[in-house]
Amino acid sequence: MNLKNPARQAPITTADKIFETMQHEIVEGEILAGSKISEPELAKKYQVSRSTLREALNRLEKCHLIERKANVGSRVVECSVQGLLEIYQVREALEGMACRLAAQNMQDDEIAELQQVLNAHGNEQQLKDGIAYYQEEGDLDFHYRVILGSHNEQLIKILCGELYHLVRMYRCQFGMNSPRATRAYDEHKAIMYAIADRDGELAEMLMRRHIAASRKNIENKLEKESE
Amino acid sequence: MNLKNPARQAPITTADKIFETMQHEIVEGEILAGSKISEPELAKKYQVSRSTLREALNRLEKCHLIERKANVGSRVVECSVQGLLEIYQVREALEGMACRLAAQNMQDDEIAELQQVLNAHGNEQQLKDGIAYYQEEGDLDFHYRVILGSHNEQLIKILCGELYHLVRMYRCQFGMNSPRATRAYDEHKAIMYAIADRDGELAEMLMRRHIAASRKNIENKLEKESE
DNA sequence: TTTAGTCCAATTGTCGACAATATGAGTCGA
DNA sequence: TCGACTCATATTGTCGACAATTGGACTAAA
């Protein structure tokens, strides 16, 4: 079950469906990171023509999941620690700005909804304490709403359309199950208050620290694993 | 004469060439902003098949110059004041982060080159005082080097590959000829010093203010024109 | 006059085949 | 044995044709 993604429309054409299928398989690692994409092979696998498959590949490239070279072909992106670090740096900058704009541009009812979402997560969290998956969905949900609250189409397009699935891919492949759930939840609340107070500067700083903390947490974990 | 773009490789396939041609025509406004893209018509115009043209359209969509709807077609993006504002907000966030990372990651010889570039611009500027075009090239050149200096592949891909031409499109269509040339030049120097001092925090703030000032300058100009 | 429905023309999506290019095995010569 | 060259094979790029869908013109009924 896919969680709702406000930036995507329902799949219309068959290329849409192949795109979504492959996107899912790459994110989940069923198609291995770094592996070569063979157009004839996959066209046969999904029972479509190469034209349709190539259309799907173009969209996968748009969301940074594969890379193409002229006359050579496509490869699934590699998931490196360096790459993870880079993604988080981009997110820190963009979501920080989104948060500042959200404090400036969100409607009152949007803020009320954001608060309700957080409350719901708080209640759920006590029930399902320790079950990380829900927290992750809740985390994505919160970040999504803030990004949408920026009311900046470019920002939304980049974060929700072009970077979102790459972030998910890293989460899956590095097996991140949000080990700082309660802390993250409190940080979300602090961000929400800053937005409600229309304090854009503080909201941006809190969001940046929140993402940076998440990044450091992952770095520490990977470092510990490699020992 | 196109200025060098470090993020692009030379055109290999015919789709590459069509892409570059159309990109240029859209940026310069020869293909009107907001106009509908007719695949059969353009395929005939450029003497290629629709497949090849569609490949080019996919790349134009990747750099945000056109928008596609399933079963309906493509349109060139509109250039609105709102859109301009949004682009500058994204740039402020991303180039600010790039500048912070540049202070942290640039090699000493890269910094030396950056300084040389600025000096060259300073000398040229005195000679060609008032001629804005060169300054604009110089401006792009400076920003480019800082972005590359971040050594963050994702950041480089987004700024130099996906947003660069949209920025150029706005510059062309709104007829921006950098009316604050000397001031901008001094700001560039201040940024360069912060990078040389390895002061990432200051470097980020200076870059953000630099871009915000540029944005406000444009806003004022447009406001004055509409009176 | 307005609104709903139908049909037609044009556009987009998909397909299979051919042309151009890269990869790798094999051969020859130093 | 090593390196460069040749050639065959497989993959990617491009093409033209067909199928599916959309948007608009036209008709007819309320």
Side-chain angles (χ1 to χ4, degrees), chain B residues 85 88-89 92 210-220:
Chain B
L85 185 71
Y88 269 82
Q89 286 167 342
E92 184 181 325
H210 172 62
I211 292 173
S214 178
R215 187 199 69 217
K216 283 168 193 161
N217 179 62
I218 292 155
E219 284 178 47
N220 289 340

Side-chain angles (χ1 to χ4, degrees), chain A residues 20-38:
Chain A
E20 289 198 0
T21 303
M22 290 189 67
Q23 180 178 255
H24 186 269
E25 292 180 347
I26 290 174
V27 167
E28 305 285 334
E30 295 166 34
I31 298 177
L32 274 76
S35 63
K36 172 125 178 40
I37 301 269
S38 164

Side-chain angles (χ1 to χ4, degrees), chain A residues 13 18 43 78 85 87 90 110 114 116 118 132 221:
Chain A
T13 69
I18 304 299
E78 299 270 7
L85 185 71
I87 290 284
V90 171
E110 287 180 289
L114 186 66
Q116 283 174 6
L118 268 186
K221 187 185 169 191

Side-chain angles (χ1 to χ4, degrees), chain B residues 84 171 173-179 214-227:
Chain B
L84 181 70
R171 285 198 176 190
Q173 310 245 339
F174 281 159
M176 302 173 197
N177 37 10
S178 63
S214 178
R215 187 199 69 217
K216 283 168 193 161
N217 179 62
I218 292 155
E219 284 178 47
N220 289 340
K221 188 185 168 191
L222 293 177
E223 207 168 285
K224 200 158 51 182
E225 279 177 5
S226 68
E227 282 172 4

